Amino acid sequence: MIPSFTNPNNISIITGRPPAVHGIAGNYFFDPATGEEVMMNDARFMRAPTIMKAFHDSGASVAVVTAKDKLRTLLGYGLDPSSGRAVAFSSEKADKATRAENGIEDVLAFVGMPLPDVYSAELSEFVLAAGVKLLRERRPDLMYLSTTDYIQHKAAPGSDIANRFYAMLDRYAGELDAAGCVLALTADHGMNDKHLPNGEPDVIYLQELFDAWLGAGKARVILPITDPYVVHHGALGSFATVYLPSEADRGAMLARLRDLAGIDAALDREEACARYELPPDRVGDLVVVSGRHKVLGTAAARHDLSGLTEPLRSHGGLTEQAVPMILNRKVSIPPGRQLRNFDVFDVALNRIQP
Ligand SMILES: [Zn+2]
């Protein structure tokens, strides 16, 4: 899904539908109803039920484990832990899990790992270790394990840190396979270098441009990558949406954006929502997507880049849309069908060769 960010893609995967249906179009958005910019991590923003809930409501046992707690409430939406058949917790807050809220307690002892740091490889490893443990001891009918991309932001493919991380993933994939499940692996998005040769992030600061074009503060630039974990990316990604004052000429603004170097797409709301399957009421008047090595910011002064100790790697655009899908079984896909990452449950549940 575009934007190639965490929340839109994870929620597409767990509902099997695009953001136009489930409503989660970013990690962060401008809520026209309240006039406020808010995190899109509350279940009240969900417009579709999850596949997990459908299984749970049909009597199956389900488990959801996420790295960051910001996703847990969305992925666990509609599950009732009091049934004894639903577990949903994050590694970030594993020490705070309770039977009433998460369907499980004493998670640290259960998994056999200490609470990981929120900025660590172990935050993802904890998810997979928990998955292996849940599979061996509780054997849920359906389980969703969602890791985080901290390492991928910080370490390029082929580096020692990246190789260690993928060796760890591979080890757990082996353990899950050995435990006898149908295992399907996919990604929410890709990742690219987004910096200049000198290591500085390669940024187009859109709010500064619109302030120059229309007057200070007339337009509102929203970066849906925004979340509390600025060490990953400093809120710099390759997708932005812009709210314009009513008198602004959308066509003229789009023409100016398309003239900038490093812009892959500049579209009005209607075209962007049709092309990327987004909910029009949660998208601004314009949508801007930057290229493989370029990111979009608001204004330089509004980005905390102190956590960017490595040259920026980030995502959000078309160049981070293609992801792998890997299964431990042979599958049959109808000829001509283009698979999306959010088809992964359909593939794992319905497309395995007998
Ligand atoms: Zn990320």
Side-chain angles (χ1 to χ4, degrees):
M1 289 312 312
I2 299 293
S4 47
F5 293 137
T6 301
N7 287 13
N9 279 279
N10 269 272
I11 305 311
S12 293
I13 290 168
I14 206 152
T15 60
R17 304 295 287 144
V21 177
H22 62 66
I24 307 298
N27 305 340
Y28 182 85
F29 84 124
F30 174 64
D31 187 351
T34 61
E36 286 177 356
E37 297 178 21
V38 288
M39 297 296 302
M40 214 186 289
N41 56 5
D42 192 298
R44 75 193 153 96
F45 297 123
M46 297 269 290
R47 292 171 172 168
T50 70
I51 294 168
M52 284 288 162
K53 174 172 161 51
F55 269 75
H56 176 257
D57 291 352
S58 304
S61 61
V62 299
V64 174
V65 187
T66 70
K68 293 178 186 172
D69 205 61
K70 70 169 182 179
L71 257 183
R72 199 240 333 149
T73 42
L74 294 179
L75 295 175
Y77 171 55
L79 300 182
D80 175 14
S82 74
S83 69
R85 292 180 287 103
V87 167
F89 64 90
S90 68
S91 37
E92 181 182 356
K93 300 221 168 129
D95 58 331
K96 305 213 166 54
T98 63
R99 197 167 290 275
E101 196 179 340
N102 307 93
I104 188 169
E105 58 199 2
D106 294 329
V107 170
L108 298 183
F110 176 73
V111 176
M113 277 178 70
L115 187 72
D117 190 89
V118 71
Y119 297 121
S120 70
E122 287 75 22
L123 195 74
S124 287
E125 177 168 1
F126 193 98
V127 172
L128 299 168
V132 169
K133 206 69 195 230
L134 285 165
L135 190 57
R136 288 204 183 121
E137 297 198 6
R138 297 194 175 202
R139 206 131 193 110
D141 296 302
L142 196 61
M143 182 157 69
Y144 186 67
L145 308 175
S146 179
T147 57
T148 179
D149 61 4
Y150 172 71
I151 292 294
Q152 292 92 330
H153 273 287
K154 291 296 183 186
S159 64
D160 287 347
I161 292 173
N163 287 348
R164 268 203 303 282
F165 187 77
Y166 283 95
M168 178 275 290
L169 286 184
D170 191 54
R171 204 164 57 239
Y172 283 102
E175 287 194 40
L176 291 165
D177 175 64
C181 64
V182 171
L183 176 66
L185 305 170
T186 191
D188 49 357
H189 55 74
M191 187 79 70
N192 276 300
D193 283 331
K194 304 276 185 187
H195 59 83
L196 297 162
N198 70 1
E200 304 264 303
D202 193 353
V203 194
I204 299 171
Y205 286 110
L206 287 174
Q207 187 69 53
E208 294 179 3
L209 287 177
F210 278 97
D211 285 356
W213 294 341
L214 298 173
K218 293 282 189 187
R220 182 194 292 264
V221 174
I222 299 289
L223 305 175
I225 193 173
T226 307
D227 71 14
Y229 310 88
V230 293
V231 170
H232 289 65
H233 45 61
L236 294 170
S238 288
F239 183 98
T241 184
V242 187
Y243 288 85
L244 295 176
S246 54
E247 69 276 13
D249 178 345
R250 296 203 304 181
M253 293 297 110
L254 288 173
R256 285 188 167 187
L257 289 166
R258 287 173 187 146
D259 273 349
L260 300 171
I263 296 295
D264 276 0
L267 307 168
D268 63 23
R269 174 188 292 116
E270 292 71 26
E271 195 181 352
C273 290
R275 193 182 289 188
Y276 304 138
E277 302 171 89
L278 297 172
D281 60 329
R282 291 179 178 174
V283 172
D285 297 288
L286 310 180
V287 162
V288 191
V289 183
S290 63
R292 181 174 298 275
H293 299 301
K294 196 77 101 176
V295 283
L296 302 169
T298 51
R302 281 164 56 179
H303 287 267
D304 175 6
L305 304 184
S306 60
L308 292 184
T309 53
E310 309 295 326
L312 179 67
R313 295 170 48 74
S314 194
H315 51 94
L318 301 163
T319 48
E320 294 82 39
Q321 186 177 23
V323 294
M325 186 185 294
I326 304 170
L327 280 96
N328 65 344
R329 299 281 191 280
K330 286 203 163 64
V331 298
S332 302
I333 308 299
R337 180 171 167 195
Q338 170 78 55
L339 289 181
R340 311 285 298 273
N341 60 358
F342 61 84
D343 293 318
V344 69
F345 275 109
D346 176 41
V347 173
L349 292 165
N350 305 319
R351 310 288 165 190
I352 303 297
Q353 283 185 10

